[in-house]
Amino acid sequence: MARKIIIDTDPGQDDAVAILLALASPEIEVLGVVAVAGNVPLALTEVNARKVVELSGRRDVPVFAGCDRPLARALVTAEHVHGKTGLDGIELPAPDLPLQAQHGVDFIIGTLRREAAGTVTLVAIGPLTNIAEAFRRAPDIVARVERIVLMGGAYFEVGNITPAAEFNIFVDPEAAAAVFGAGVPLTVMPLDVTHKALTDRSWIEAMRALPGRCGPAVAGWTDFFERFDTAKYGSLGAPLHDPCTIAWLLQPELFSGREINVEIETEGRWTTGMTVADWWRVSGRASNALFLKDVDRDGLFALLLERIARLP
Ligand code: RIB
Ligand code: CA
């Protein structure tokens, strides 16, 4: 029985690889893709989500637009990382795949009410606005969520958009606080682990050499995406943040971490958006998240190559 998921996303080159990985994997049934404002405004993330789903050939998967701004703050975007389209690196045609008329938050609510309780996993790879808004509008769905697997936060690795905060959490800290406090089982994929998921030239060239269009697309996106991180960190490759969430669903043994308490700072003068991860369990606060820290990098990239090779 395939695991049913909804992907909430702000494509974003790394989001695009995560979406392709999910659509290439028979262990996963993607019920829908919901765009959120984040890396670039919603008007672009929804188009990018449709472009990626169309590229995969999976025109059966519906794409929705969700919230166009954070719950309580102005939107902060990341064109400096992802380019002006949010999906720079290759040219893709305007999508023919239609955008669903239903609001993405209503799709999340309706799906969780329709599907059997405990059978739908939410995979959040952008700011948590849509999920927090769905929980606010329909508190009855919270107990029905199987688990939320999210890319966000940082502890030992510290922040990437401020010295203290990772981008997805920083963009909408109030949404993140609502999600981390909702009591839903959480798997958190922070920069501590995604900064170990670095591409390398041989892997990118193997992607480029794949038959079909998806492998070369991933190569083009990572060529573009890595320029920022290699310049900033001096690293040899780009961190593939978002695909780590899908890879955890497919092969959790590739990752390791701890069940700990994680709180979200929403009022810090310098630390707003920080994930205060009690790694050493000194707070006495109840655990609310599986906070991952390490990954079998070679195993992850072997999985990515094998699965993307299955796509057209
Ligand atoms: O900080 C990395 C996260 O922010 C990733 O999800 C990336 O796509 C951006 O949204
Ligand atoms: Ca993202």
Side-chain angles (χ1 to χ4, degrees), residues 11-311:
Q13 291 87 351
D14 59 321
D15 301 68
V17 180
I19 293 166
L20 290 181
L21 177 60
L23 294 175
S25 300
E27 306 92 324
I28 290 174
E29 179 185 357
V30 180
L31 299 177
V33 175
V34 182
V36 67
N39 284 320
V40 288
L42 179 68
L44 286 172
T45 58
E46 68 89 352
V47 168
N48 292 342
R50 286 191 282 147
K51 285 182 176 179
V52 174
V53 172
E54 195 162 78
L55 184 76
S56 76
R58 292 290 310 278
R59 297 180 60 88
D60 57 301
V61 177
V63 178
F64 302 81
C67 296
D68 64 0
R69 73 199 65 186
L71 296 182
R73 296 171 187 261
L75 177 63
V76 172
T77 53
E79 287 87 349
H80 61 293
V81 179
H82 298 275
K84 64 181 179 359
T85 71
L87 208 51
D88 287 21
I90 62 163
E91 283 300 319
L92 289 175
D96 177 50
L97 185 72
L99 179 71
Q100 298 296 310
Q102 186 182 29
H103 191 284
V105 170
D106 292 329
F107 168 74
I108 292 169
I109 295 169
T111 302
L112 283 164
R113 284 176 171 164
R114 180 186 71 244
E115 299 291 335
T119 63
V120 177
T121 301
L122 303 180
V123 177
I125 51 179
L128 292 164
T129 314
N130 288 338
I131 295 175
E133 181 62 9
F135 287 2
R136 186 190 67 79
R137 288 191 204 171
D140 60 289
I141 68 171
V142 174
R144 301 180 67 84
V145 178
E146 186 272 332
R147 172 173 291 270
I148 299 172
V149 185
L150 68 93
M151 190 279 140
Y155 188 60
F156 296 100
E157 192 67 8
V158 298
N160 61 357
I161 188 75
T162 74
E166 177 278 328
F167 180 80
N168 287 341
I169 307 299
F170 178 76
V171 168
D172 200 337
E174 284 74 23
V179 170
F180 277 69
V184 174
L186 291 182
T187 298
V188 179
M189 207 61 80
L191 296 179
D192 305 72
V193 66
T194 67
H195 275 183
K196 296 167 185 168
L198 295 177
T199 59
D200 64 31
R201 199 43 40 203
S202 63
W203 180 84
I204 293 173
E205 292 315 316
M207 268 292 170
R208 202 183 319 276
L210 287 177
R213 57 182 186 255
C214 288
V218 171
W221 288 329
T222 41
D223 280 342
F224 181 87
F225 184 63
E226 75 172 8
R227 89 214 180 291
F228 174 80
D229 287 88
T230 49
K232 175 178 178 181
Y233 295 105
S235 53
L236 295 177
L240 278 188
H241 306 285
D242 294 338
C244 290
T245 58
I246 303 297
W248 183 82
L249 291 176
L250 294 171
Q251 294 183 8
E253 66 277 10
L254 292 174
F255 300 87
S256 63
R258 283 183 187 177
E259 288 283 354
I260 59 171
N261 175 268
V262 181
E263 301 295 341
I264 309 297
E265 179 58 70
T266 59
E267 299 172 5
R269 180 179 177 196
W270 305 109
T271 56
T272 292
M274 179 177 178
T275 45
V276 182
D278 188 7
W279 184 261
W280 302 112
R281 299 189 180 106
V282 297
S283 70
R285 291 190 292 266
S287 296
N288 61 343
L290 172 60
F291 196 84
L292 295 165
K293 188 169 179 287
D294 289 299
V295 60
D296 169 356
R297 183 261 173 216
D298 293 344
L300 170 65
F301 281 83
L303 172 66
L304 278 167
L305 189 61
E306 186 272 323
R307 292 300 164 100
I308 301 298
R310 299 186 187 190
L311 294 172

